[in-house]
Amino acid sequence: MKYILVLLLAGLTSSAQIKKEQLNLMPWPQNVVLNDGNFTLNKNFKVNITGNPNQRIFGGVTRFLRRLDGRTGLFFGQDFVTKLNEVPTAELQINCAKGGKIGLYEDESYHLDIKQNKITIDATSDLGALHGLETLLQILQNNGKSFYFPNAQISDFPRFTWRGLMIDASRHFQPVDVIKRNLDGLAAMKMNVFHWHLVDDQGWRIEMKKHPKLIELASDGMYYTQQEIKSIVKYADERGILIVPEIDVPGHGTAILTAYPEIGSKVISVKGGAEKSVQGTAITTYSVERNAGIFTPTLDPTNPKTYQLLSEIFDEVCPLFPGDYFHIGGDENEGKDWDANPKIQEFKKKNKLATNHELQTYFTMQLAPMLKKHGKQLMGWEEILTKNLSKEAIVHSWRGPNEGVLAGQSLAEAVKKGYKTVLSNGYYIDLMYPIESHYLTDPMPKGVELTAEEKARILGGEAPMWTELATPETIDSRIWPRTAAIAERLWSAEDITDVEDMRRRLETVSFRLEELGLTHIRNKDVILRNIANNQDIKSLNEFSNVCEPLKGYTRNKNGTEYQTYSPFTLFADACTPDAKDALAFDNAVTQYLASKTAENKAKVTAFFYKWIAVNKELNDLSANAPLVQPILPLAKKLSDVSQELLLVLDNKSALKLQDLNSLIEQCNTKDHADVELAIYASLKKLI
């Protein structure tokens, strides 16, 4: 009888064995093999480290233990891991052959082996071991009574060496805690580069001891002290992340020129109507920009004082960042101030510089030795690329179809000319595009013949988060969870492209990111409570699940609708791309059109009944909540079309098809509350 019971239990265990299709791993590893059996967690679980790792492994393992204990509530006995080989009998054994160096081309591979009574992580460097710990956290399972790891063997390594996120701290200053929690998010998604955009038209964000005017006149009092920068660099290092700072020059120069107008290119009128350059005068002709957009203030590339100031700035800033790369921007210089300045035009002629582009290359090449002096390699947006650019520079490719350029064209052009490149076109998360568009953008361009050597120059990709429309309260919801999908594109094998499976896994990955302090989910309710005047937010939440912020730069019309000091506590700020109910509704419509059963019809009509009710509830809510008013016209349009489509599905509608189409077209408006209904295409599909 005893043996029969054992066989029965073995059968139950086998039937409950998790399958690969049920795992919520992201980025998906290069190779996953699931075996029978599980490692069951208990309070005696401990970790031991061997080998010759960097000290960062101790903090990484301690954080792993706290996160795992937080999920399981087991009250582990092991507290802070501080030494090698502290617990030789521990269930989790981590072996690192060497200390990892923060930067590119480091070995980040790991092998994770989970057996019934032992787990091992083998990695060349501690960077790989940290990635292995993240995978172990993601593979955690539970039943009604316990937590366990399924027995598995996972071998993993990144496809690209540059897997980055850029945060713009100039347009809207992002405090230290915002930066740190997003560094934690990057580490959880195995991303290894943080590009910190610190200077633009809207503000200078670095404490300068030798040039204090930059923070006194151009920061509005919002900047990072040098001590805070060092703290963030250390925090990133402990998580295996390289920080690449950016000071954007020669365009986007308003903040710098607010403090030092004498190095500007602008020609000013003086008494008597004559013109002269601002160079050499003490007249302040610039002020920190409050709008979004592209502006003309540009540094003067012919003025020796320009290079003297920049050299002194680099001398002070470069030592704060131990990484090998420094981003000098170089984008969107319209050259208007250069064209209008006779002295600059004369300089171009004298130096045989035919275009402003060639003049900018001249400028860029003056910066290269300033940076090289500090062991930094120059990087800039793709506008820096000309025939005279040093092959040591890294070209950051950002333009695509929106800028009249074929997708991947500038990247392919750069690698063919011998430059290393990083792709950002297709990964602009601030544009509010759906996650699918990012997920299916690959750094390796399609339809372009590249040699193996040229392909090797494609370092990877980077998601830019420009903050014209993002504050510390909303930035996480613009970065996450879509950046997790971009992380997978940059880490996983090229053929991992199943969008539906990515969405399934992201449901869990997204909420797990909250344990790191990210606010992309929780802050939505904060904004909605403000809009509702602390009334019940259920109807607002339901409506936000079918609305998305306007895409591209259409919310910020002509760069004048929102200023840096405008409120970003409105309905559009609570909404995100990939509206939850819009996706579910589209699936319901697809199922119904494939098979018009009563059950499938009920799935569609349930949405219509909900949206009719939401419209009524929002109207009731608005009686004591003025901020609800802007969304009422849109809610009414959705309610009206829902009522009519209920009649259509029951064959009771008296409307002509033309009138029904007109009703649906009204749901395609972008004139209310800076949002759009994400179900328009599904409504069209339904009829």
Side-chain angles (χ1 to χ4, degrees):
M1 190 68 189
K2 181 170 71 174
Y3 296 112
I4 293 172
L5 185 60
V6 168
L7 287 170
L8 283 170
L9 286 171
L12 285 171
T13 303
S14 177
S15 66
Q17 190 69 37
I18 195 164
K19 298 176 181 176
K20 273 205 281 190
E21 296 75 23
Q22 296 172 281
L23 296 176
N24 295 311
L25 304 178
M26 186 174 283
W28 190 261
Q30 302 295 338
N31 188 46
V32 180
V33 176
L34 286 178
N35 302 314
D36 290 341
N38 302 307
F39 177 102
T40 302
L41 274 167
N42 61 51
K43 67 179 182 180
N44 297 317
F45 179 79
K46 288 184 174 64
V47 186
N48 190 54
I49 305 166
T50 58
N52 188 31
N54 183 285
Q55 290 286 311
R56 72 173 67 88
I57 193 67
F58 299 121
V61 169
T62 300
R63 292 191 298 275
F64 162 81
L65 280 167
R66 299 291 76 79
R67 287 164 67 192
L68 184 60
D69 211 5
R71 290 187 193 180
T72 61
L74 287 171
F75 288 81
F76 294 150
Q78 193 173 18
D79 51 10
F80 292 88
V81 182
T82 59
K83 297 177 185 174
L84 290 175
N85 210 25
E86 273 187 315
V87 192
T89 58
E91 293 86 352
L92 172 55
Q93 295 286 332
I94 300 173
N95 182 60
C96 308
K98 66 169 189 173
K101 182 180 182 300
I102 301 300
L104 306 186
Y105 307 113
E106 187 61 82
D107 190 332
E108 299 178 73
S109 65
Y110 66 91
H111 181 78
L112 170 63
D113 191 0
I114 305 171
K115 292 187 169 70
Q116 204 137 341
N117 57 1
K118 187 179 181 182
I119 303 172
T120 58
I121 294 176
D122 290 308
T124 303
S125 76
D126 48 87
L127 302 177
L130 293 176
H131 296 324
L133 289 170
E134 293 296 343
T135 300
L136 189 57
L137 278 167
Q138 289 183 354
I139 208 170
L140 180 69
Q141 307 294 316
N142 67 275
N143 53 34
K145 294 183 178 179
S146 63
F147 293 89
Y148 63 91
F149 299 113
N151 289 356
Q153 289 182 310
I154 296 176
S155 296
D156 203 9
F157 57 87
R159 182 170 164 231
F160 291 102
T161 190
W162 190 295
R163 308 178 305 282
L165 168 71
M166 185 214 78
I167 290 182
D168 165 20
S170 178
R171 273 51 177 262
H172 275 106
F173 180 70
Q174 306 298 327
V176 171
D177 64 315
V178 175
I179 301 300
K180 286 186 173 180
R181 71 192 185 216
N182 277 284
L183 287 171
D184 281 321
L186 292 183
M189 290 298 107
K190 303 181 174 69
M191 298 180 85
N192 66 335
V193 177
F194 171 52
H195 172 182
W196 203 356
H197 188 84
L198 289 159
V199 176
D200 215 299
D201 293 294
Q202 292 80 0
W204 178 280
R205 305 299 181 199
I206 312 165
E207 178 191 18
M208 301 299 293
K209 297 182 185 297
K210 294 179 181 175
H211 294 281
K213 281 203 295 184
L214 285 165
I215 53 174
E216 290 166 4
L217 301 176
S219 75
D220 296 313
M222 292 180 285
Y223 59 90
Y224 304 100
T225 67
Q226 293 192 11
Q227 195 55 46
E228 286 173 331
I229 290 172
K230 290 175 183 176
S231 165
I232 288 170
V233 168
K234 180 174 182 289
Y235 196 87
D237 182 285
E238 290 166 351
R239 286 148 183 80
I241 296 169
L242 167 73
I243 294 186
V244 178
E246 179 181 354
I247 294 176
D248 201 347
V249 288
H252 290 279
T254 311
I256 297 174
L257 297 177
T258 298
Y260 292 96
E262 62 269 23
I263 65 166
S265 301
K266 188 176 182 180
V267 173
I268 60 170
S269 296
V270 294
K271 205 169 183 180
E275 290 187 340
K276 71 173 186 176
S277 169
V278 73
Q279 184 183 116
T281 76
I283 302 170
T284 301
T285 56
Y286 303 91
S287 58
V288 172
E289 188 57 62
R290 305 303 182 187
N291 292 324
I294 303 171
F295 306 99
T296 58
T298 311
L299 276 60
D300 183 351
T302 71
N303 188 346
K305 290 183 180 178
T306 300
Y307 301 111
Q308 181 184 345
L309 177 64
L310 289 176
S311 180
E312 291 169 1
I313 286 172
F314 291 143
D315 285 348
E316 188 168 353
V317 173
C318 284
L320 299 173
F321 298 95
D324 294 337
Y325 307 94
F326 202 107
H327 205 298
I328 56 95
D331 61 316
E332 297 180 325
N333 173 22
E334 295 181 324
K336 291 179 181 177
D337 284 357
W338 288 357
D339 291 338
N341 189 317
K343 183 181 69 70
I344 292 175
Q345 292 306 306
E346 183 60 34
F347 181 89
K348 283 170 65 179
K349 277 185 198 173
K350 182 180 176 182
N351 289 276
K352 297 183 172 55
L353 301 170
T355 65
N356 283 340
H357 203 174
E358 290 183 16
L359 177 59
Q360 182 157 328
T361 302
Y362 169 87
F363 169 86
T364 301
M365 294 315 299
Q366 307 310 302
L367 307 191
M370 298 179 196
L371 295 170
K372 199 165 188 177
K373 179 172 98 172
H374 296 282
K376 307 294 185 216
Q377 197 168 334
L378 183 146
M379 180 178 187
W381 300 103
E382 65 185 64
E383 287 94 326
I384 70 170
L385 178 59
T386 59
K387 61 184 179 183
N388 296 321
L389 182 69
S390 165
K391 289 292 191 291
E392 292 182 359
I394 296 176
V395 177
H396 197 162
S397 175
W398 72 273
R399 289 185 292 193
N402 285 348
E403 294 75 34
V405 179
L406 291 175
Q409 178 180 318
S410 64
L411 179 137
E413 179 187 345
V415 297
K416 282 180 177 292
K417 290 180 177 178
Y419 296 95
K420 292 177 181 176
T421 65
V422 172
L423 180 69
S424 275
N425 180 257
Y427 301 136
Y428 271 61
I429 46 179
D430 65 307
L431 297 182
M432 300 290 110
Y433 291 152
I435 197 168
E436 182 175 351
S437 68
H438 304 310
Y439 189 62
L440 298 179
T441 295
D442 198 286
M444 203 60 68
K446 301 287 186 276
V448 180
E449 287 292 326
L450 297 176
T451 66
E453 189 179 0
E454 288 165 347
K455 287 179 179 178
R457 294 188 193 118
I458 300 174
L459 301 179
E462 184 177 290
M465 180 62 232
W466 302 104
T467 60
E468 286 93 341
L469 302 172
T471 65
E473 291 70 38
T474 63
I475 190 170
D476 292 2
S477 70
R478 275 57 189 138
I479 297 174
W480 306 104
R482 287 175 301 150
T483 296
I486 296 172
E488 178 158 291
R489 177 55 47 241
L490 301 175
W491 177 284
S492 303
E494 189 174 1
D495 61 356
I496 303 295
T497 55
D498 186 328
V499 174
E500 289 311 307
D501 185 60
M502 176 270 292
R503 289 189 192 279
R504 176 193 66 77
R505 289 179 284 127
L506 198 62
E507 278 287 309
T508 298
V509 169
S510 181
F511 107 82
R512 285 300 186 198
L513 286 168
E514 282 198 298
E515 76 183 16
L516 301 168
L518 289 165
T519 64
H520 60 296
I521 299 174
R522 70 187 78 171
N523 272 9
K524 178 178 181 178
D525 283 3
V526 174
I527 297 171
L528 293 182
R529 276 193 294 274
N530 175 64
I531 295 169
N533 198 18
N534 204 30
Q535 301 175 85
D536 191 334
I537 62 172
K538 179 176 175 291
S539 58
L540 273 172
N541 195 45
E542 294 281 15
F543 195 53
S544 73
N545 286 337
V546 292
C547 292
E548 295 177 357
L550 295 182
K551 295 170 177 55
Y553 293 115
T554 54
R555 180 177 175 184
N556 216 3
K557 294 170 186 172
N558 301 318
T560 57
E561 186 175 356
Y562 288 90
Q563 283 77 38
T564 54
Y565 50 82
S566 298
F568 293 90
T569 53
L570 309 176
F571 186 68
D573 302 299
C575 296
T576 59
D578 305 290
K580 183 179 176 182
D581 278 4
L583 292 168
F585 177 65
D586 190 65
N587 287 335
V589 168
T590 300
Q591 288 177 25
Y592 172 71
L593 292 176
S595 176
K596 295 185 178 180
T597 64
E599 182 184 4
N600 285 341
K601 177 184 172 183
K603 289 177 182 176
V604 173
T605 58
F607 284 101
F608 295 146
Y609 286 121
K610 176 161 70 172
W611 296 334
I612 293 167
V614 162
N615 178 55
K616 181 182 181 307
E617 291 162 6
L618 288 174
N619 274 281
D620 293 343
L621 190 67
S622 70
N624 188 32
L627 290 178
V628 175
Q629 294 289 339
I631 65 175
L632 294 182
L634 199 57
K636 183 178 186 305
K637 293 178 195 298
L638 182 57
S639 176
D640 289 347
V641 80
S642 296
Q643 292 178 62
E644 195 57 44
L645 286 170
L646 284 172
L647 296 174
V648 169
L649 292 180
D650 286 337
N651 295 314
K652 295 178 181 177
S653 176
L655 274 188
K656 294 178 181 177
L657 183 60
Q658 180 181 346
D659 295 328
L660 180 60
N661 267 315
S662 177
L663 204 58
I664 290 175
E665 283 303 317
Q666 290 180 40
C667 292
N668 194 31
T669 179
K670 295 173 174 55
D671 293 333
H672 305 290
D674 288 330
V675 297
E676 56 187 67
L677 287 169
I679 43 80
Y680 166 72
S682 304
L683 294 175
K684 293 283 288 183
K685 186 162 67 173
L686 183 62
I687 64 163

